[in-house]
Amino acid sequence: MTKTPPSPHSPTEAEVTVVDPALVKRAVKAAALGNAMEWFDFGVYSYIAVTLGKVFFPSGNPTAQLLSTFGAFAAAFLIRPLGGMVFGPLGDRIGRQKVLALTMIMMAAGTFAIGLIPSYATIGVGAPILLLLARLVQGFSTGGEYAGASTFIAEYSPDKKRGFLGSWLEFGTLAGYIGGAGLVTLMTALLSSDDLLSWGWRIPFLIAGPMGLIGLYLRMKLEETPAFAAELAKAHKDEQSRPKVRLREMVTGQWKALLLCMGLVLVFNVTDYMLLSYMPSYLTSELKYDETHGLLVVLAVMALMMCVQPFAGALTDRVGRRPVIAAGCAGFLLLSVPALLLIRQGSLWAIALGMAALGLLLVCFTASMPSALPALFPTKVRYGSLSIGFNISVSIFGGTTPLVVTALIGATGNMMMPAYYMMAAAIVGGIAVWFMSESAGRPLPGSLPAVEK
């Protein structure tokens, strides 16, 4: 990374950060791999939730088992804001790269630990307690993961390609989901129910160990982002060892941007977790659809989303983030009910068509958010403020989606609750889009304009 100083012949010309394409590619790969590992775990947990309910929460009521499993799923999200409040400010103080390496270690350790926990039949109530503790470790580390990874890619990217490059972060998310879903589908097809229940469910979680070591290696090889390097240089100039960032400055000083962030993250994550985490269990537990076929449909939808993702990211660079996000909100508002009615019709093609419609709408968010969210905040507080806003919204609305929708269906008997929940989220997201500023093709707040070498 080099900076071009103002020309002596044009003293009003702004400095420009020139980014090396090779370094950008390495940064994108390392950040996306970490996200892939995170969502490999969450994907596996969601897709194998019925089996985990039997292993850790024995009960004669399948709905109660599923609620207990999703309760542990939601618990990890409730602690995410605490992780965000720790890792976010730390990332603004000591650097993005160091914190992302730390979150990778904790994430891999928490996931690997789940694969080692004895069943309820072996140690009784200690089993769900250990599961909860492992989920809390995962949730705490995840509090610094997405905000850090999206900040890292955004600060490395040239202004005119930030949407395209940022979209690869969610490409990693989808790859992780597909890896988790594919493995669960393969095990479901090859193993008997007894084998899956006794030992097969552990395999996906134990794979996290080697994956974490690979991700850690890649992240340790990265350089710090040019935006943070500039902040560090400024601190040294002011005779400070590190940039000084106060938590109050990240919250009260950025309250408008935080509200916008929370609104955007709400629609992004409610629809994300509804489609990718909840729908497999909805098809199996609520609609009594064949488990293997249901997983294959979701797997195909995610593969479709991966194919579209980079092109949608490039589109946000051309037409802007706001129009693409707004199209997604409008689509969920108008099409959630028709899509769910198709899914409830029950035939393979109807389910595939309904899920594909929701998946393509979700791409409007997955392709836009990694570049739109970091652009809400200035460099000095970007990691911290984004971590706080993102994780509070995910904890309250995103991670609790499977639990809330399952409970709403149980309380009302209305199987259309998933559609109504997505429509409500779309309204909130639409309001946030209305008030946000366009960031496509523009420098990040507090950073120099960035161009490719």
Side-chain angles (χ1 to χ4, degrees):
M1 304 286 176
T2 59
K3 293 178 183 176
T4 303
S7 165
H9 304 293
S10 53
T12 61
E13 182 181 344
E15 291 187 346
V16 175
T17 298
V18 181
V19 296
D20 183 346
L23 288 179
V24 174
K25 289 180 181 178
R26 283 172 50 196
V28 171
K29 287 178 182 178
L33 180 62
N35 226 41
M37 198 200 100
E38 174 189 348
W39 294 108
F40 174 89
D41 160 57
F42 284 126
V44 165
Y45 194 94
S46 300
Y47 301 135
I48 208 166
V50 175
T51 299
L52 291 180
K54 297 175 183 177
V55 172
F56 291 104
F57 305 98
S59 166
N61 187 334
T63 301
Q65 287 180 335
L66 193 61
L67 277 170
S68 299
T69 306
F70 280 137
F73 182 85
F77 287 86
L78 297 178
I79 200 172
R80 281 182 68 154
L82 181 59
M85 290 179 185
V86 172
F87 291 120
L90 196 62
D92 284 326
R93 181 169 175 78
I94 69 172
R96 286 71 161 115
Q97 184 264 349
K98 294 182 179 64
V99 173
L100 284 174
L102 179 58
T103 59
M104 174 66 75
I105 295 172
M106 293 184 66
M107 235 179 352
T111 305
F112 187 77
I114 291 178
L116 301 177
I117 299 174
S119 66
Y120 185 94
T122 303
I123 63 171
V125 72
I129 292 175
L130 289 174
L131 174 65
L132 180 61
L133 289 175
R135 292 291 299 160
L136 292 177
V137 170
Q138 290 175 320
F140 187 78
S141 64
T142 305
E145 175 61 30
Y146 185 90
S150 58
T151 293
F152 200 83
I153 293 178
E155 292 183 348
Y156 255 111
S157 301
D159 297 335
K160 293 184 178 181
K161 289 188 176 180
R162 188 167 292 117
F164 170 71
L165 293 170
S167 70
W168 289 97
L169 182 64
E170 289 295 332
F171 186 93
T173 293
L174 294 167
Y177 264 111
I178 285 181
L183 186 55
V184 170
T185 302
L186 184 64
M187 292 192 307
T188 303
L190 297 180
L191 298 179
S192 67
S193 297
D194 290 340
D195 286 341
L196 188 64
L197 193 62
S198 62
W199 57 269
W201 66 269
R202 298 182 184 276
I203 294 174
F205 296 102
L206 296 177
I207 289 174
M211 285 178 62
L213 292 177
I214 295 171
L216 179 63
Y217 172 78
L218 290 175
R219 288 189 172 183
M220 291 298 291
K221 299 278 286 183
L222 291 173
E223 298 178 12
E224 191 52 79
T225 70
F228 181 78
E231 285 293 321
L232 197 59
K234 182 180 178 181
H236 287 160
K237 185 177 179 180
D238 295 338
E239 298 183 351
Q240 301 171 8
S241 58
R242 295 287 178 184
K244 289 185 177 179
V245 186
R246 295 178 177 85
L247 185 61
R248 185 175 65 179
E249 185 179 354
M250 296 179 181
V251 179
T252 59
Q254 301 293 326
W255 67 269
K256 291 182 180 178
L258 279 172
L259 288 177
L260 289 177
C261 176
M262 292 173 66
L264 294 170
V265 172
L266 184 152
V267 64
F268 173 28
N269 278 268
V270 165
T271 52
D272 193 355
Y273 285 104
M274 187 74 75
L275 180 63
L276 303 184
S277 295
Y278 176 70
M279 289 309 294
S281 295
Y282 178 79
L283 292 173
T284 302
S285 300
E286 305 293 349
L287 302 185
K288 310 303 178 186
Y289 192 72
D290 177 75
E291 185 174 358
T292 301
H293 284 102
L295 290 173
L296 285 173
V297 169
V298 176
L299 194 64
V301 169
M302 290 188 290
L304 173 64
M305 292 174 63
M306 284 183 69
C307 293
V308 177
Q309 179 75 9
F311 299 100
L315 180 65
T316 70
D317 286 322
R318 289 197 293 271
V319 304
R321 325 289 189 225
R322 294 181 74 232
V324 175
I325 298 172
C329 293
F332 274 108
L333 185 61
L334 298 174
L335 299 178
S336 289
V337 168
L340 193 61
L341 287 174
L342 273 174
I343 293 169
R344 284 181 48 75
Q345 195 271 338
S347 69
L348 178 60
W349 288 108
I351 291 175
L353 185 59
M355 294 286 285
L358 295 176
L360 290 175
L361 289 173
L362 180 57
V363 169
C364 294
F365 304 143
T366 59
S368 305
M369 296 299 180
S371 52
L373 296 177
L376 294 173
F377 305 101
T379 302
K380 186 177 181 181
V381 297
R382 181 170 296 127
Y383 197 158
S385 294
L386 180 52
S387 290
I388 293 169
F390 185 91
N391 288 299
I392 289 176
S393 189
V394 171
S395 298
I396 297 174
F397 304 107
T400 58
T401 293
L403 180 66
V404 171
V405 174
T406 301
L408 286 174
I409 291 175
T412 65
N414 190 334
M415 303 295 286
M416 295 300 295
M417 279 297 170
Y420 301 148
Y421 205 66
M422 288 188 289
M423 292 170 67
I427 293 173
V428 175
I431 295 171
V433 173
W434 180 266
F435 286 102
M436 72 178 285
S437 300
E438 184 56 69
S439 60
R442 303 174 185 176
L444 293 171
S447 298
L448 298 171
V451 297
E452 202 168 36
K453 182 185 291 184

